[in-house]
Amino acid sequence: MKNLEEITTIVWEKRISKNGKEYHVGYHEDAERLETTSDKVPFSIKVDWPATNSSDWIVQDSSFIATTGISRYSLDKDRPWYKYYKIVLNFTAQVHYDYYFTDETGDIYECNVYSNGDHYVQYNSEKPNIIHVKGS
């Protein structure tokens, strides 16, 4: 399996979480850019996304997609090919939102989505399960 950092079409940006930890967000440089729409509705929703040792996609239901713009996700942990971060959140979005993902420690990871398709959040956490997603 190829490490995400080795995929040359992914653009990586370094960020600092709410609790002061470094993390990375990534997106494909050739992805179609989204138009900013004024009709999007900010949301805040509790979720139960456990970190697993699988990169299998979890497809969301139509209500979740309509609310968040996220159609699927995977939350993968502790793979031997992960060099810098233990956790990788991969999600597919079709709506321009500034997303905030909260793990069980209360730390928050922001990913501003400007393009269709897959986005990545790489981070380290002792309690990596995602329990809350906010979009603005």
Side-chain angles (χ1 to χ4, degrees):
M1 181 73 163
K2 193 174 223 184
N3 194 326
L4 287 174
E5 288 88 0
E6 297 171 358
I7 300 174
T8 58
T9 60
I10 298 177
V11 176
W12 293 103
E13 298 175 358
K14 186 189 323 183
R15 302 278 174 85
I16 302 297
S17 71
K18 175 187 168 225
N19 292 347
K21 293 182 180 178
E22 183 178 302
Y23 70 100
H24 283 163
V25 297
Y27 59 91
H28 291 275
E29 65 184 351
D30 56 352
E32 175 189 351
R33 301 290 280 186
L34 293 169
E35 296 287 325
T36 301
T37 59
S38 60
D39 61 343
K40 73 177 181 177
V41 177
F43 68 89
S44 181
I45 188 168
K46 290 182 181 181
V47 297
D48 179 19
W49 293 0
T52 66
N53 292 94
S54 170
S55 56
D56 292 342
W57 287 107
I58 308 297
V59 177
Q60 300 300 293
D61 64 38
S62 60
S63 174
F64 188 87
I65 296 168
T67 300
T68 68
I70 297 173
S71 60
R72 61 184 186 165
Y73 78 92
S74 68
L75 186 57
D76 197 10
K77 68 176 182 176
D78 297 329
R79 298 305 198 122
W81 53 86
Y82 290 173
K83 292 181 182 179
Y84 310 110
Y85 297 97
K86 294 180 188 177
I87 312 300
V88 175
L89 169 61
N90 183 5
F91 68 99
T92 304
Q94 292 89 25
V95 179
H96 166 77
Y97 271 109
D98 197 2
Y99 289 100
Y100 299 86
F101 300 95
T102 305
D103 72 13
E104 289 179 309
T105 69
D107 209 356
I108 299 174
Y109 312 96
E110 178 184 7
C111 183
N112 201 339
V113 171
Y114 291 103
S115 60
N116 282 328
D118 295 341
H119 294 77
Y120 308 90
V121 180
Q122 297 180 314
Y123 61 100
N124 291 317
S125 175
E126 295 302 315
K127 294 182 177 181
N129 297 345
I130 297 298
I131 61 169
H132 191 262
V133 179
K134 178 181 169 185
S136 59

